[in-house]
Amino acid sequence: MTPNAHATGRRAVKAVIPAAGLATRFLPATKAVPKELLPVVDRPVLQYIVEEAAAAGINDVLLVTGRGKTSMVDHFDRRPDVEQRLEEKGDLERLAAVRRTSELADIYTCRQGEPLGLGHAVGTAASHVGDNPFAVLLGDEFVEEDKPLLPAMLDLQARTGGIVLAFMEVKPEETSRYGIASVAPSSLGEDIVEVTGLVEKPAPEEAPSNLAVLGRYVLPGSIFEAIANTKPGSGGEIQLTDAMHQLLQDGVPVHGIVYRGYRYDTGMPLGYLQAVVMLASKRADLGEEFRAWLGEFVAGGAKG
């Protein structure tokens, strides 16, 4: 075990966003456009996630990309031509929005040559992260802006060291879609639990709880050695859950925060559409009109 496996006091300042998947559920749209850049109203999914990291004090973000996904980096680059045109038109609101994408964080990239699992994707970040704690944010889900999750996770990991996970409660029949934890009570605070075990995608009758791992992790640098020693598991892939389970077996503390806000899951078409509708409905500039139209449409009175 590496010396810093239990280290406390250092708050993670880097984030890794695995975004190398093929997104076959969204074909043919994702043949040329990365799923992470599909718009939720007028911001791509990936921007919501980078904004979440930046709001938590993280300004160093590594995108783990794959073939055909260089446009994800372009989104966070400057566009002087667009900025000049907006400035000439006096469209200062859109000008600020365009410039903001390049000011959110320092964006770095590395390539995952083959999609060999989440654990493998995280493992490619070893040289960038080094022996430091870091956050992992999955590239197809995000939480409510006014109910942030990541700051509490970073603070907890700085106190306890080891691994900090985020959980959400799911229906028993849904456990086979997630990593599921067995937990014990903790005295560290409300909605904080001590994790005693992890299992990847168990059948409902075998699930130790209904607490599913949400796509946010704060991990110690020692996870990289564990990933390197992890053999392919569920789906023939190198699973991050298996590597974390190994650290747990080695005595590394693992805690979790049960998230009570709403999690937008854009990884499947239905969840993506739900996110678009929900966030559009909340918008100050178009929410009222959109909700009125949506109500008429659902009632059968609006023209499709």
Side-chain angles (χ1 to χ4, degrees):
M1 188 185 305
T2 56
N4 81 324
H6 304 295
T8 60
R10 291 186 297 168
R11 195 175 192 267
V13 296
K14 296 184 178 184
V16 175
I17 302 178
L22 298 175
T24 54
R25 293 187 181 94
F26 285 87
L27 286 171
T30 50
K31 180 181 178 182
V33 178
K35 176 185 68 174
E36 295 81 7
L37 291 186
L38 295 178
V40 178
V41 189
D42 55 5
R43 278 186 284 169
V45 173
L46 184 59
Q47 184 173 330
Y48 283 91
I49 296 168
V50 173
E51 287 173 346
E52 184 181 336
I58 290 177
N59 60 10
D60 182 312
V61 176
L62 178 70
L63 304 180
V64 181
T65 67
R67 192 172 293 106
K69 290 203 164 189
T70 55
S71 56
M72 290 192 298
V73 183
D74 294 340
H75 178 73
F76 296 98
D77 203 354
R78 292 289 302 271
R79 279 294 303 269
D81 55 334
V82 174
E83 293 174 21
Q84 182 179 349
R85 179 65 63 87
L86 291 171
E87 193 166 9
E88 290 171 351
K89 292 172 60 179
D91 194 342
L92 301 183
E93 184 176 348
R94 286 191 175 87
L95 175 63
V98 168
R99 283 180 173 167
R100 184 169 182 268
T101 60
S102 63
E103 298 168 352
L104 285 171
D106 295 327
I107 304 295
Y108 303 90
T109 65
C110 68
R111 291 286 289 266
Q112 183 186 20
E114 298 179 74
L116 299 178
L118 178 57
H120 182 266
V122 172
T124 64
S127 60
H128 182 82
V129 172
D131 196 31
N132 301 297
F134 65 103
V136 173
L137 296 84
L138 297 194
D140 55 12
E141 58 184 86
F142 55 95
V143 299
E144 296 176 87
E145 290 184 49
D146 59 351
K147 294 181 181 178
L149 169 63
L150 195 55
M153 295 181 68
L154 296 170
D155 291 343
L156 179 60
Q157 202 276 342
R159 289 168 58 193
T160 62
I163 297 170
V164 172
L165 306 176
F167 296 127
M168 61 181 180
E169 295 180 327
V170 298
K171 297 176 182 178
E173 60 269 23
E174 296 178 343
T175 57
S176 60
R177 293 171 48 195
Y178 301 96
I180 301 293
S182 54
V183 301
S186 170
S187 60
L188 293 174
E190 185 179 2
D191 286 332
I192 295 176
V193 293
E194 181 179 343
V195 179
T196 58
L198 293 165
V199 59
E200 183 69 21
K201 300 178 180 178
E205 63 273 13
E206 298 174 354
S209 75
N210 71 330
L211 292 179
V213 179
L214 196 148
R216 298 293 180 269
Y217 313 77
V218 184
L219 304 170
S222 56
I223 192 68
F224 296 119
E225 182 180 351
I227 290 171
N229 294 326
T230 297
K231 296 179 180 180
S234 177
E237 298 179 335
I238 298 174
Q239 298 291 346
L240 182 61
T241 301
D242 294 338
M244 293 190 298
H245 179 76
Q246 184 57 58
L247 288 187
L248 176 63
Q249 296 294 104
D250 291 342
V252 173
V254 183
H255 294 88
I257 296 178
V258 182
Y259 183 60
R260 302 297 182 185
Y262 188 83
R263 165 220 185 216
Y264 298 98
D265 181 4
T266 64
M268 300 181 70
L270 177 59
Y272 170 75
L273 292 171
Q274 290 170 335
V276 172
V277 170
M278 292 176 70
L279 288 169
S281 296
K282 293 180 178 181
R283 287 276 293 258
D285 57 340
L286 53 82
E288 184 176 356
E289 186 176 355
F290 179 67
R291 290 193 303 271
W293 172 86
L294 188 62
E296 292 179 15
F297 178 77
V298 172
K303 297 294 184 181

